[in-house]
Amino acid sequence: MNTKEITDTYELAVYPKRDIVLVRGKGSRLYDDKGREYIDCASNIGVSNIGHGNEAVAKAIYEQYLKLGNCYSMLYNPVRAELAQRLVNTAPKGLNRVFFCNSGTEAIEGALKFARATTGRKEFIAAVRGFHGRTMGALAATWGPEYQKPFMPMLEGLKHVPYNDYEKLNQAVDDNVAAILLETVQGEGGIRVGDKEYFQKVRMLCDSKDMLLIIDEVQTGFGRTGTMFACEQFVTPDILCLAKALAGGIPMGAVLCTDRISVPVKSHGSTFGGNPTACAAALASIEVIEKEGLVERAKTLGAYFLEQLKSIKSRKIREVRGLGLMLGIELKEKAGQYVQQIMEKGVIVLLSGVNVIRLLPPLVISREEIDSVIIVLREVFED
Ligand SMILES: *Cc1c(COP(=O)(O)O)cnc(C)c1O
């Protein structure tokens, strides 16, 4: 049997698979089992911000694993300490504490628990088309029957309101709401960029009602939108959830919070959370982002990419939009078949929702590579 046949025989079929076997990657290029080269515009859904096969991160992982690969968090470790300090110093002011976990959904799970523990309240408000993960707590915050329906009943106390609509949110608030959970740019929900004014009003509402603001930056974090964290362009949260690009491709999540957040000792934790190998990878990855100026790069190349996308003349395209190197092409029809066509022409892209093509290239992508992607998109979409 070949790779596809073995996978389809033995792996639980929860993923809508694409017809490609990837074996290698370098920078913003990927290679399949036939040696064919692709330009990556997916970054493993925003994981590979620093590109593939980074040697500094590989070396950090190798060396740390040999030195001390694992060290559970009841014991102190200098690499974990250094990363905690680094994240606090990198994040917006006031986010002074870190909890380490291993994925995005776990970061959300932690945030929901910390919000309940801190406020003594039970309810949450999230947004229509929001995506926050797939474990039972986060799943209740994730919008959409395709994710929730087979797994009912959901965690109680979660309401969804239309995204970027302050009045609707305001109407949904009552004294039982512990926190409001939002993305600044909806990643799975169609690359929808919120308004700064909306987030500022939400911030004031949270302060006036003693609610917490949780911002999910699992997808937008680490330079993707042209600032280290997207929230810098919108609002300062009480709790910031990170994962995906945090550790340069190694599984890791983190919850950053203000001094207001308090959780009883022993009430929460994670075996792998903050293991030195992942922490070393994260430190090395953050170093790469800073040294190579990837945040600035996402900003300038993102603006260039968006401008190029806007120049594509197509009756199939309703709108192009995005922030930094987090871009969406909304079609007037379902986008699935185009994702396949674009891949056949050597570019790997993502879907977002049903009718949006999502582009999340590694932040190391070059202007020339963007031009090549535009040529492919013109071939596929221009009338
Ligand atoms: C991917 C994602 C998650 C879930 O992360 P996992 O690591 O897959 O659990 C949560 N929130 C957002 C915004 C995401 O993009």
Side-chain angles (χ1 to χ4, degrees):
M1 287 197 287
N2 64 28
T3 299
K4 272 186 240 167
E5 289 161 350
I6 296 170
T7 304
D8 293 343
T9 303
Y10 292 106
E11 220 181 274
L12 193 64
V14 297
Y15 298 100
K17 292 277 196 205
R18 291 214 227 140
D19 192 13
I20 184 171
V21 179
L22 287 178
V23 293
R24 197 159 63 82
K26 192 72 192 167
S28 41
R29 304 289 172 127
L30 291 166
Y31 302 86
D32 71 11
D33 55 347
K34 298 176 190 86
R36 178 145 190 227
E37 187 179 66
Y38 298 84
I39 298 176
D40 184 10
C41 280
S43 300
N44 293 302
I45 325 183
V47 166
S48 313
N49 285 16
I50 61 165
H52 304 281
N54 184 285
E55 288 187 16
V57 175
K59 189 160 169 278
I61 293 167
Y62 176 77
E63 285 175 358
Q64 185 58 48
Y65 186 83
L66 277 181
K67 191 172 182 189
L68 184 64
N70 286 278
C71 173
Y72 64 102
S73 287
M74 270 142 67
L75 312 173
Y76 290 96
N77 175 265
V79 186
R80 188 190 307 126
E82 189 185 341
L83 179 61
Q85 189 177 35
R86 186 67 179 263
L87 284 174
V88 166
N89 289 338
T90 309
K93 248 198 164 132
L95 294 162
N96 293 333
R97 297 270 177 172
V98 186
F99 171 78
F100 288 117
C101 51
N102 315 285
S103 66
T105 199
E106 266 182 273
I108 299 296
E109 215 67 39
L112 297 175
K113 288 177 76 176
F114 301 165
R116 276 191 174 172
T118 299
T119 63
R121 301 178 188 174
K122 295 192 172 60
E123 294 180 5
F124 299 95
I125 299 177
V128 170
R129 294 202 185 88
F131 184 90
H132 303 290
R134 302 162 186 276
T135 53
M136 276 296 178
L139 180 61
T142 289
W143 184 81
E146 74 268 38
Y147 299 118
Q148 292 190 349
K149 208 171 158 223
F151 308 113
M152 292 293 182
M154 287 295 110
L155 174 78
E156 270 177 62
L158 262 134
K159 267 188 278 195
H160 288 91
V161 296
Y163 183 64
N164 211 29
D165 182 335
Y166 180 74
E167 280 319 311
K168 290 273 164 50
L169 175 67
N170 192 21
Q171 285 161 21
V173 166
D174 62 36
D175 293 341
N176 302 317
V177 176
I180 294 171
L181 167 58
L182 294 167
E183 295 158 89
T184 48
V185 183
Q186 290 190 318
E188 302 300 307
I191 310 295
R192 283 163 220 281
V193 186
D195 293 326
K196 180 171 183 182
E197 198 197 348
Y198 168 73
F199 280 97
Q200 295 288 318
K201 283 188 186 165
V202 174
R203 176 72 270 176
M204 287 196 290
L205 181 66
C206 286
D207 292 341
S208 73
K209 304 268 184 192
D210 244 7
M211 302 177 295
L212 299 169
L213 177 58
I214 305 170
I215 296 290
D216 179 347
E217 290 230 28
V218 170
Q219 194 162 145
T220 53
F222 299 95
R224 173 60 55 193
T225 67
T227 44
M228 191 63 168
F229 302 109
C231 67
E232 294 165 39
Q233 299 173 63
F234 298 88
V235 69
T236 304
D238 302 288
I239 301 180
L240 181 64
C241 296
L242 304 171
K244 290 193 167 112
L246 165 56
I250 293 298
M252 181 172 230
V255 186
L256 270 67
C257 40
T258 62
D259 295 328
R260 191 181 156 195
I261 308 306
S262 78
V263 188
V265 171
K266 256 186 114 173
S267 65
H268 194 61
S270 161
T271 301
F272 282 121
N275 72 82
T277 309
C279 289
L283 281 166
S285 176
I286 293 168
E287 187 85 14
V288 169
I289 292 172
E290 290 180 352
K291 262 201 188 141
E292 297 187 13
L294 297 185
V295 177
E296 188 54 33
R297 205 181 162 88
K299 190 174 166 191
T300 50
L301 286 182
Y304 175 72
F305 206 155
L306 185 61
E307 185 191 315
Q308 294 301 305
L309 289 174
K310 282 182 176 159
S311 76
I312 297 174
K313 298 269 171 291
S314 170
R315 272 169 299 189
K316 297 188 186 86
I317 296 175
R318 179 172 292 136
E319 190 189 34
V320 294
R321 55 177 177 255
L323 194 63
L325 282 170
M326 184 169 189
L327 300 160
I329 306 168
E330 184 173 325
L331 303 181
K332 293 174 188 162
E333 57 186 295
K334 287 190 177 170
Q337 59 155 319
Y338 296 108
V339 170
Q340 181 66 29
Q341 278 182 40
I342 293 164
M343 191 174 83
E344 282 161 15
K345 290 177 182 290
V347 179
I348 297 189
V349 297
L350 292 161
L351 263 181
S352 176
V354 287
N355 65 339
V356 177
I357 290 180
R358 172 174 33 164
L359 305 162
L360 301 177
L363 311 183
V364 296
I365 194 169
S366 67
R367 199 172 278 256
E368 293 69 33
E369 284 168 326
I370 291 172
D371 291 340
S372 304
V373 173
I374 292 292
I375 289 169
V376 166
L377 294 174
R378 277 192 206 288
E379 282 171 19
V380 172
F381 290 116
E382 283 206 331
D383 303 315

